[in-house]
Amino acid sequence: MNKESGSYKGKRQIRGGRYQVRSVLFMAIMSAVQCNSVIKDHYERLKAAGKTPKVALVACMRKLITILNAMVKNNTHWKVNSMG
């Protein structure tokens, strides 16, 4: 959700959707940023590009969802070399 009116641009917030799913994804990303090389590299790249840590985490959440959807669609398991 964005807070914008005319020339005013405020901070954006994440709202809507399912709270429980967002909470689980956030906790999964907090762990993945520390332990998973694919997600950790993506997170570090985003932070180096000037994104705030929380924005980078949300982008990593989206990346994780994309990877998981592809895995379900193709009926595959996690492979570090092919999922980056």
Side-chain angles (χ1 to χ4, degrees), residues 53-79:
K54 200 161 202 178
V55 169
L57 286 173
V58 172
C60 289
M61 288 167 60
R62 181 175 167 84
K63 183 169 182 76
L64 180 62
I65 290 171
T66 303
I67 291 170
L68 293 174
N69 281 337
M71 288 171 57
V72 169
K73 178 182 176 185
N74 299 325
N75 195 25
T76 59
H77 296 282
W78 179 267
K79 296 178 186 166

Side-chain angles (χ1 to χ4, degrees), residues 11-72:
K11 287 189 174 183
R12 294 177 181 232
Q13 295 179 328
I14 298 173
R15 291 182 55 191
R18 290 180 250 166
Y19 173 76
Q20 292 90 355
V21 175
R22 263 195 340 265
S23 297
V24 169
L25 274 173
F26 185 78
M27 292 310 294
I29 283 300
M30 292 299 290
S31 176
V33 162
Q34 296 176 359
C35 302
N36 185 298
S37 62
V38 173
I39 301 296
K40 185 176 184 175
D41 292 344
H42 186 63
Y43 177 74
E44 293 299 330
R45 208 169 32 249
L46 290 168
K47 278 186 36 180
K51 300 294 181 190
T52 62
K54 200 161 202 178
V55 169
L57 286 173
V58 172
C60 289
M61 288 167 60
R62 181 175 167 84
K63 183 169 182 76
L64 180 62
I65 290 171
T66 303
I67 291 170
L68 293 174
N69 281 337
M71 288 171 57
V72 169

